[in-house]
Structures are given as C-alpha cells and as structure tokens.
Amino acid sequence: IDLNEHVNNTKYFRWVLDSFDRNEWKTPWTSIEANYLAETRFNESMEVQRIVNGPTHRIEVLSNKRNKPVFRAEISFQP
C-alpha cells in the first residue's frame, strides 16, 4: 500500500504468482504480458481468476466492489 492507499504494483504480481501451484512454475515460460487496468485501494476485496488455453494462462484480478478487472496478465509456457 502506498501513501495514497493504493495497492503497490508488486502486489498484483504476487496475486498472479499465488494463483499457480508451485509445480506449475517448473515449466519455463516464454512470455509474460501485464496490463494495469485500474487502481486498487486498501481494503478492497479482490478475486483472482485464471483461464488456461493450452500453454497460455490468462489471469485477471477482479474488484468485487466494482465488479470489473483491475489487472490482467497473460503468461505463455513452453509446450
């Protein structure tokens, strides 16, 4: 949390990392793309969703209060 009570950008990546099982990270990734879509504030409830399409994983962090994504990442792993 920064001085303006916004979530720090490293927290978004922590949520992404936490959505994976430890064994899944044993496969090397080939690319990662991250998009910050909206700011997130202290005490805002978040939900992390992950959609798998072959070697590509799309992760969205959704604000439950606003019912919309605030962060999106796409990680591609070696097949």
Side-chain angles (χ1 to χ4, degrees):
I1 305 295
D2 66 17
L3 295 174
N4 295 319
E5 295 189 345
H6 296 120
V7 172
N8 185 291
N9 61 0
T10 59
K11 186 64 174 175
Y12 293 98
F13 277 99
R14 173 57 53 200
W15 289 328
V16 168
L17 293 173
D18 288 346
S19 75
F20 286 86
D21 181 271
R22 219 178 137 136
N23 289 327
E24 291 178 287
W25 286 111
K26 291 181 180 178
T27 303
W29 50 272
T30 57
S31 67
I32 185 167
E33 181 180 324
N35 295 292
Y36 298 91
L37 306 172
E39 61 187 29
T40 304
R41 296 199 174 269
F42 179 71
N43 278 339
E44 196 169 342
S45 176
M46 296 292 139
E47 179 182 335
V48 178
Q49 296 180 345
R50 184 164 58 123
I51 301 164
V52 179
N53 185 10
T56 302
H57 297 244
R58 182 178 179 163
I59 301 95
E60 286 192 343
V61 178
L62 303 158
S63 165
N64 289 330
K65 179 181 178 181
R66 293 177 272 169
N67 197 29
K68 71 175 194 174
V70 295
F71 179 80
R72 184 176 294 131
E74 193 168 283
I75 303 172
S76 293
F77 291 90
Q78 284 183 352

